[in-house]
Amino acid sequence: MKKKVFFIVSSLVAGGSERVFWLLSQAFDRDKYDVSLVILNGVNPHLSTNLQIRIIDLNTIKASRSFLKLYKFIKKEKPYAIFCTAAHINLLVSLVSFFVNVPVLIARESNIFHQMLTIGDRSSKMWELLINIFYRRFKVVICQSDEMQKSFISNFGIKENKLTIIPNPVIIPLNIDEPADKGSYKKILIVARLVPEKGHHRLLEIFSELPPDYQLTIAGDGPLMETLIETVKQLNLQDRVFMLGRIRNVTEVISNHHVFALTSYTEGFPNAALEALAVGVPVVAFNVGGITELVQPGFNGYIVEQDSPRVFRNYLIKAAEQQWDAKAIRDDIAQRFAVDKIANRYQELINF
């Protein structure tokens, strides 16, 4: 008999955690597992719902309103294993598990909490307390990077043998050809939600010091949209900075640029950078969680220490003017992060 497996996410918007589980749920061996993707809020999905697995929309909008409905659903369905991701969903599932038996509970963490504290996220203190209490219910907590695992060991009372490191997966695009001519401009791209921790404002400051034959594309939406547009005007960059908003053709957009920029102050594991490397575009990144497991300096990009904007600027120029082996970059990512490889590691946890 197939083992029933649930992947629980808040929604199918364009967030990194949601996309990871959307990918993994489709990659599980359906001869062995009966997989369902459980969503709290199915309104306005950004990711496709036309999948070959079951999708259940609980229509509870947010985690704080989902306890009773999720409890009843799990009690009725009796899944063998549940994978959940992001702290608020992990806490919800842990709480439900006090009242209904699930043989295998596995959480995936999406944040490095000591980094969140450095950017003034006061709620991280609350999460710290709740995690210490509720994460003990999980058989395994998946960390996306070595740095995240070390943060858990040093900040929470979770035993090391309950932590495992599994990076995020990526789809390796087939038949992606780098455009023969990207134009006369050197094109820099950032793909990220427009929120303070992604560092868009400092990227604009850095970009304002680049030569006039450089262009910057900002893809993503969020609460900082208007202030970023105003900053572009203040820096007189209207002719060289392009705000795309949320995009669906991510692969196509990335492949039309010379360099991908990652200016975040904190990351669990930078999915957008992973997607850039999957199409052979080099990454210049500030040093955040997971980036040292992606970027090999000189081979597929460069890593710059935080608070070094001048160095970041210099490496953007170096990367944009350097000749890169796009095929070698793509092949390396396929070898280490292809969806089927990462899905196999998740499947192994069920019977661990």
Side-chain angles (χ1 to χ4, degrees), residues 46-213:
H46 182 73
L47 300 170
S48 174
T49 57
N50 185 23
L51 308 180
Q52 294 182 350
I53 61 171
R54 186 172 61 148
I55 297 180
I56 300 101
D57 180 8
L58 295 183
N59 194 30
T60 54
I61 308 302
K62 57 176 63 177
S64 60
R65 301 178 183 175
S66 302
F67 173 83
L68 186 58
K69 201 163 187 178
L70 184 61
Y71 160 74
K72 291 180 178 179
F73 179 70
I74 291 175
K75 184 177 181 180
K76 175 185 175 183
E77 292 281 336
K78 297 181 174 60
Y80 179 79
I82 290 179
F83 291 91
C84 47
T85 184
H88 61 302
I89 304 297
N90 295 341
L91 293 173
L92 169 66
V93 172
S94 175
L95 181 60
V96 170
S97 75
F98 280 94
F99 303 94
V100 59
N101 180 55
V102 179
V104 178
L105 286 177
I106 299 173
R108 171 188 172 275
E109 190 47 65
S110 56
N111 290 304
I112 299 177
F113 284 90
H114 73 267
Q115 288 185 353
M116 296 298 291
L117 287 173
T118 65
I119 61 170
D121 186 349
R122 296 179 181 178
S123 66
S124 295
K125 282 292 187 183
M126 178 190 70
W127 290 119
E128 182 177 344
L129 175 62
L130 294 173
I131 285 170
N132 269 296
I133 297 171
F134 286 97
Y135 272 42
R136 300 171 192 272
R137 300 286 298 174
F138 293 106
K139 176 183 179 182
V140 180
V141 177
I142 298 170
C143 301
Q144 299 163 55
S145 65
D146 179 67
E147 185 176 8
M148 184 179 290
Q149 184 187 52
K150 289 177 180 176
S151 178
F152 259 94
I153 293 172
S154 62
N155 290 285
F156 306 106
I158 299 176
K159 295 180 180 179
E160 186 174 354
N161 62 7
K162 276 200 170 189
L163 301 171
T164 189
I165 300 172
I166 304 180
N168 292 345
V170 68
I171 293 176
I172 307 300
L174 300 176
N175 302 319
I176 288 294
D177 295 320
E178 185 178 352
D181 182 12
K182 295 182 181 180
S184 59
Y185 284 85
K186 296 296 185 182
K187 297 180 179 179
I188 312 297
L189 171 70
I190 181 172
V191 180
R193 181 162 166 74
L194 308 184
V195 290
E197 57 265 31
K198 299 299 182 180
H200 290 88
H201 280 101
R202 66 171 170 175
L203 177 57
L204 287 172
E205 294 286 348
I206 292 168
F207 181 78
S208 69
E209 298 181 2
L210 291 181
D213 62 336

Side-chain angles (χ1 to χ4, degrees), residues 194-195 201 218-232 243-246:
L194 308 184
V195 290
H201 280 101
I218 299 175
D221 63 7
L224 293 185
M225 175 68 80
E226 295 303 320
T227 60
L228 288 173
I229 291 174
E230 184 60 32
T231 300
V232 169
M243 307 280 291
L244 299 187
R246 181 183 293 181

